[in-house]
Amino acid sequence: MAVEVRNQLSARAETTLPTTLVFDYPSPEAIAKLLLRQAFAELEATALSAPRRASYDEPIAIVAMACRTPGGVVDVEGYWALLDEGRDVIGPFPDRWDTEALYDPDPDARGKSYAREGGFLRDVDQFDAGFFGISPREALSMDPQQRLVLEVAWEALEQAGLRPGELNESSTGVYLGSMGSDYGQGNPSLELLDGYVGTGQASSVLSGRVSYALGLQGPAMTVDTACSSSLVA
């Protein structure tokens, strides 16, 4: 079907389009922009020949960040305030868990927890799937890590003063550190084992999620080296 779409558009527009069209340009808007660029290629070539501001030659430069941490921290300002005040972010289990069913004072009890507190992120279920072009059904199968990384990547670009849409089709790379997750592995029913489960729970998909959502065409790599994952990435 993807190749058929490409063939019909090529014939109608009388231009050559890549076989991977619907994968490289995954929305009608992206395809329309490609067709316009090819229709007015001479104008674009003239614009590209104009002198550009020289870029800075920095090996590594941190220009922005975004984060989520236990203690209700949802932005960089809250993170610095947390460190400055030295607050304790350990608290009770979140409401989305059945604490009474999970807790058991016996540390040897199987499938139970003898602790009733920990460090948890709030509102991980409050994900705006539609904003990223993700259906509710697919979002349900996505590991919370995938949801969070989309949110913080978008926010980091905004903090840097960049419009995420302007990076579309750029050679920007995505490098993420991740660890495994047991999300959705608690004896799921057969009805929930759809085509989204594989991609929704694979850590290797994390970096690709960001690249796909932003239309980035540079390297996309997820690194899992346990506790040092972020450092290695």
Side-chain angles (χ1 to χ4, degrees), residues 166-209:
E166 294 179 349
L167 296 176
N168 185 47
E169 298 181 40
S170 69
S171 58
T172 305
V174 179
Y175 302 89
L176 289 172
S178 170
M179 288 184 64
S181 170
D182 58 2
Y183 177 75
Q185 296 181 12
N187 298 320
S189 64
L190 292 178
E191 290 78 8
L192 297 178
L193 295 177
D194 55 25
Y196 297 122
V197 172
T199 56
Q201 298 179 21
S203 60
S204 58
V205 175
L206 276 168
S207 53
R209 284 271 187 201

Side-chain angles (χ1 to χ4, degrees), residues 127-230:
F127 174 63
D128 189 353
F131 181 81
F132 294 101
I134 298 172
S135 69
R137 184 177 180 182
E138 182 177 6
L140 185 63
S141 297
M142 289 171 58
D143 186 317
Q145 291 183 92
Q146 295 191 17
R147 307 177 208 162
L148 290 168
V149 76
L150 286 172
E151 293 176 344
V152 297
W154 191 279
E155 291 173 9
L157 291 174
E158 290 183 332
Q159 289 286 337
L162 298 173
R163 294 181 179 179
E166 294 179 349
L167 296 176
N168 185 47
E169 298 181 40
S170 69
S171 58
T172 305
V174 179
Y175 302 89
L176 289 172
S178 170
M179 288 184 64
S181 170
D182 58 2
Y183 177 75
Q185 296 181 12
N187 298 320
S189 64
L190 292 178
E191 290 78 8
L192 297 178
L193 295 177
D194 55 25
Y196 297 122
V197 172
T199 56
Q201 298 179 21
S203 60
S204 58
V205 175
L206 276 168
S207 53
R209 284 271 187 201
V210 176
S211 293
Y212 188 81
L214 298 175
L216 310 179
Q217 297 184 358
M221 181 181 296
T222 304
V223 177
D224 183 355
T225 55
C227 298
S228 61
S229 296
S230 297

Side-chain angles (χ1 to χ4, degrees), residues 66-70 73-75 121-122 148 151-152 155:
C67 63
R68 301 282 191 278
T69 76
V73 173
V74 296
D75 52 34
L121 300 182
R122 297 180 183 173
L148 290 168
E151 293 176 344
V152 297
E155 291 173 9

Side-chain angles (χ1 to χ4, degrees), residues 14-212:
E14 298 181 353
T15 185
T16 301
L17 297 172
T19 307
T20 55
L21 174 71
V22 297
F23 302 100
D24 296 337
Y25 306 91
S27 70
E29 181 180 2
I31 293 176
K33 289 180 178 179
L34 172 64
L35 292 173
L36 286 173
R37 283 200 304 273
Q38 295 198 179
F40 301 99
E42 294 182 359
L43 295 178
E44 184 176 0
T46 302
L48 291 175
S49 64
R52 295 186 175 185
R53 184 177 60 182
S55 60
Y56 294 102
D57 185 18
E58 288 285 348
I60 298 177
I62 300 174
V63 296
M65 62 179 286
C67 63
R68 301 282 191 278
T69 76
V73 173
V74 296
D75 52 34
V76 178
E77 291 75 15
Y79 175 68
W80 295 128
L82 172 67
L83 295 181
D84 182 59
E85 298 168 9
R87 297 199 313 270
D88 184 358
V89 298
I90 301 301
F93 288 162
D95 294 337
R96 60 183 182 272
W97 289 9
D98 187 348
T99 304
E100 295 304 320
L102 183 62
Y103 173 74
D104 193 304
D106 181 5
D108 295 325
R110 300 185 62 180
K112 302 290 184 177
S113 170
Y114 64 89
R116 285 192 273 195
E117 294 183 324
F120 302 97
L121 300 182
R122 297 180 183 173
D123 302 326
V124 295
D125 56 335
Q126 303 300 309
F127 174 63
D128 189 353
F131 181 81
F132 294 101
I134 298 172
S135 69
R137 184 177 180 182
E138 182 177 6
L140 185 63
S141 297
M142 289 171 58
D143 186 317
Q145 291 183 92
Q146 295 191 17
R147 307 177 208 162
L148 290 168
V149 76
L150 286 172
E151 293 176 344
V152 297
W154 191 279
E155 291 173 9
L157 291 174
E158 290 183 332
Q159 289 286 337
L162 298 173
R163 294 181 179 179
E166 294 179 349
L167 296 176
N168 185 47
E169 298 181 40
S170 69
S171 58
T172 305
V174 179
Y175 302 89
L176 289 172
S178 170
M179 288 184 64
S181 170
D182 58 2
Y183 177 75
Q185 296 181 12
N187 298 320
S189 64
L190 292 178
E191 290 78 8
L192 297 178
L193 295 177
D194 55 25
Y196 297 122
V197 172
T199 56
Q201 298 179 21
S203 60
S204 58
V205 175
L206 276 168
S207 53
R209 284 271 187 201
V210 176
S211 293
Y212 188 81

